[in-house]
Structures are given as C-alpha cells and as structure tokens.
Amino acid sequence: MKKRIVGVIALALALGAVYSCRQTTDSTVTPEVKPTEPVDPDPIVEFGLFPQTIMPASFTVDTENATVETFGKFQYYQPEGDSNWYYKLLVDNSAYNADGKSTYSDGSSVNSGSERWFKVEPIK
C-alpha cells in the first residue's frame, strides 16, 4: 500500500500538484495532494532535448562565436543572439546512404561528406 501511495503522489507532483500531510485526531498522518491550478487534461511531459528539426541547407552557425555545450558525444551550439540550440551532423561514411535512396525529412539526399544542422528541441 505504501508503494502505491508514493506512486500516486509522484504522479500528482509531476502533473503540477502540491503535496502536504495533515495529522488526524488518531495520530495517523494522511497525505493530501492539492492541484495548484486547474489540471491540464492532456499534459505534455518533456524527457530531455534532442536534435529533431532539420534546418535549411543554407543554414549555418558561426561555431567560433557560439556558446558550446557537450552532452556525451554531442556538441550543441547556441549562436549569439539566438535562444535556440543546434547540432551539426557530419556524414562521414557512405554507409548512411549505401543504396543511394536515403533522404532527410526535407527530401534532400544523405551524402558522404555532407553537413546538416538540426534544431535541438524537447522530446515530448
């Protein structure tokens, strides 16, 4: 029973509720979960960030003057004056397009030696 209560409380907190306890007259503690605002019936939960939207082929980032953050093997760039982060994909192996049919979501071909930028966005 205790694990179920903890799970319900954790879910409620994730949905934006406030957790508190009140003591009853018989010395037991009863958890109370109260929403802080109307609960969104279709909440969006973010699981982190990942390069998702392909930028136009003409898009570039001045990497010399951009803020750089490294996450594992990925380097994300934030250009001066831009609140967004971007990831540069360098295709250095023809195995990405061995059959000559591989394309990006914008329809452009994946070619060895090519470079494309992706906007880093929340995973929802």
Side-chain angles (χ1 to χ4, degrees):
M1 181 67 171
K2 187 174 184 178
K3 286 182 182 179
R4 183 177 295 167
I5 290 173
V6 171
V8 170
I9 291 170
L11 177 61
L13 291 174
L15 295 175
V18 173
Y19 173 75
S20 64
C21 290
R22 78 178 154 85
Q23 189 165 0
T24 59
T25 54
D26 63 354
S27 299
T28 60
V29 175
T30 305
E32 294 178 336
V33 178
K34 300 176 185 177
T36 55
E37 55 189 58
V39 177
D40 184 350
D42 189 26
I44 295 174
V45 178
E46 294 182 2
F47 293 98
L49 300 170
F50 198 76
Q52 295 186 58
T53 303
I54 191 166
M55 302 305 291
S58 60
F59 180 85
T60 61
V61 171
D62 179 5
T63 56
E64 295 294 321
N65 295 313
T67 303
V68 181
E69 290 285 338
T70 302
F71 299 97
K73 294 181 179 180
F74 295 102
Q75 278 195 325
Y76 295 163
Y77 298 88
Q78 185 180 38
E80 286 184 328
D82 191 339
S83 62
N84 296 308
W85 289 86
Y86 300 93
Y87 171 73
K88 180 170 58 173
L89 173 68
L90 298 171
V91 180
D92 59 0
N93 186 336
S94 59
Y96 281 109
N97 194 12
D99 61 1
K101 297 178 184 177
S102 297
T103 59
Y104 292 109
S105 60
D106 68 352
S108 62
S109 186
V110 177
N111 298 314
S112 183
S114 65
E115 168 184 305
R116 288 302 297 264
W117 286 92
F118 290 80
K119 185 176 178 183
V120 177
E121 299 171 291
I123 301 169
K124 298 178 181 181

